[in-house]
Amino acid sequence: MRRFYGVSLETPLMLGTAQYPSPAVLEAAFRDSQASVATVSLRREAGKGQAFWQIIRSLGVHVLPNTAGCHSVQEAVTTAKMAREMFETNWIKLEVIGHADTLQPDPFGLLEATGVLAADGFEVFPYTTEDQVLAGRLLAAGAQVLMPWGSPIGSGLGLNNRYGLKMLRAAFPDVPMVIDAGLGLPSHATDAMELGFDAVLLNTAVAQAGDPAAMARAFGLAVQAGALARGADPMEPREMAVPSTPVMGKAWL
């Protein structure tokens, strides 16, 4: 499995910690999914106090703080610094939101904030689009991981621009990439892994399911299936039917 800033993950599933109906359900989702990373929004969860932080620590997974809700470089950088102090990690999922309706990243603010944080020793996981030019600039600014969106956050639409994501993966074959946002079904996660992405990150699809723990387990199995399929060198699609049964031995009448 690809390494993320020198860390090899036990499973290619990253799971958010917001919107669960109870702490017990949150813990069950992580247990049943076998997710290896928990993403935490400092801004969203700060009011929950030490009990929440203790739950996160007890999960026994890597913690990836994020700058969710930040709409400017200054907001994002300040939030990242607060998160590093609280969680004692240089990892940061960097979000700089540019569009209120789609929550699409602001490419200009994202690039600037990536440079600032990378220079300050952060290990940046930038939430970005499938734009190859922006991807190259983010890597040049110091990011060593890319997190392109599948579709808008919380939409459940899956991989909106499958072609663009496939081309992005092909353009930077050695860069660890995580599909982040918009995954609504386990099949979406499998699709992402089959395209060659190294992990997926999701939250709403599990937290707001009727049975979050069962959905979390389904996603955990889905990413494993996708990774196995990718590693098995799957067949390419064909325009015509090809019989699987040979004609040798067939009776000719």
Side-chain angles (χ1 to χ4, degrees):
M1 183 175 292
R2 198 97 60 169
R3 293 170 67 83
F4 296 83
Y5 291 104
V7 175
S8 294
L9 302 181
E10 291 77 11
T11 67
L13 180 61
M14 303 181 179
L15 197 57
T17 56
Q19 307 180 65
Y20 291 86
S22 72
V25 173
L26 167 65
E27 291 178 289
F30 271 85
R31 180 183 64 248
D32 291 359
S33 69
Q34 298 185 359
S36 56
V37 174
T39 60
V40 181
S41 169
L42 184 68
R43 292 166 61 97
R44 185 187 299 117
E45 311 294 351
K48 295 185 178 180
Q50 288 300 315
F52 176 76
W53 306 135
Q54 187 57 43
I55 291 172
I56 300 303
R57 294 186 182 97
S58 72
L59 296 174
V61 298
H62 300 283
V63 176
L64 176 60
N66 68 48
T67 63
C70 293
H71 291 258
S72 72
V73 173
Q74 183 176 358
E75 272 189 302
V77 169
T78 301
T79 301
K81 290 180 178 180
M82 293 169 62
R84 178 164 65 180
E85 183 175 340
M86 175 168 288
F87 292 106
E88 299 179 342
T89 178
N90 287 325
W91 279 17
I92 190 71
K93 179 194 167 189
L94 178 60
E95 296 184 27
V96 182
I97 301 302
H99 194 279
D101 292 334
T102 64
L103 301 181
Q104 179 173 328
D106 171 1
F108 309 103
L110 180 65
L111 180 58
E112 181 181 346
T114 296
V116 171
L117 292 174
D120 194 27
F122 282 89
E123 296 171 330
V124 183
F125 292 67
Y127 166 62
T128 183
T129 66
E130 64 274 20
D131 187 308
Q132 291 187 34
V133 176
L134 176 58
R137 298 283 177 85
L138 290 169
L139 296 172
Q144 297 179 27
V145 174
L146 296 173
M147 301 187 80
W149 65 347
S151 53
I153 294 171
S155 67
L157 293 172
L159 306 185
N160 256 3
N161 184 1
R162 198 174 184 278
Y163 171 80
L165 290 168
K166 184 178 180 179
M167 293 301 99
L168 177 68
R169 176 70 282 180
F172 302 97
D174 299 323
V175 176
M177 291 191 195
V178 182
I179 291 293
D180 175 19
L183 303 185
L185 293 170
S187 57
H188 298 159
T190 302
D191 192 16
M193 298 301 296
E194 288 175 349
L195 280 179
F197 288 89
D198 303 292
V200 301
L201 191 158
L202 57 122
N203 189 163
T204 306
V206 167
Q208 294 191 354
D211 186 339
M215 186 61 78
R217 183 168 183 267
F219 270 101
L221 294 171
V223 294
Q224 292 181 44
L228 284 170
R230 177 70 178 187
D233 190 18
M235 63 175 284
E236 292 293 328
R238 295 186 281 225
E239 296 292 333
M240 299 179 63
V242 178
S244 57
T245 303
V247 296
M248 184 179 295
K250 176 184 175 182
W252 294 94
L253 302 178

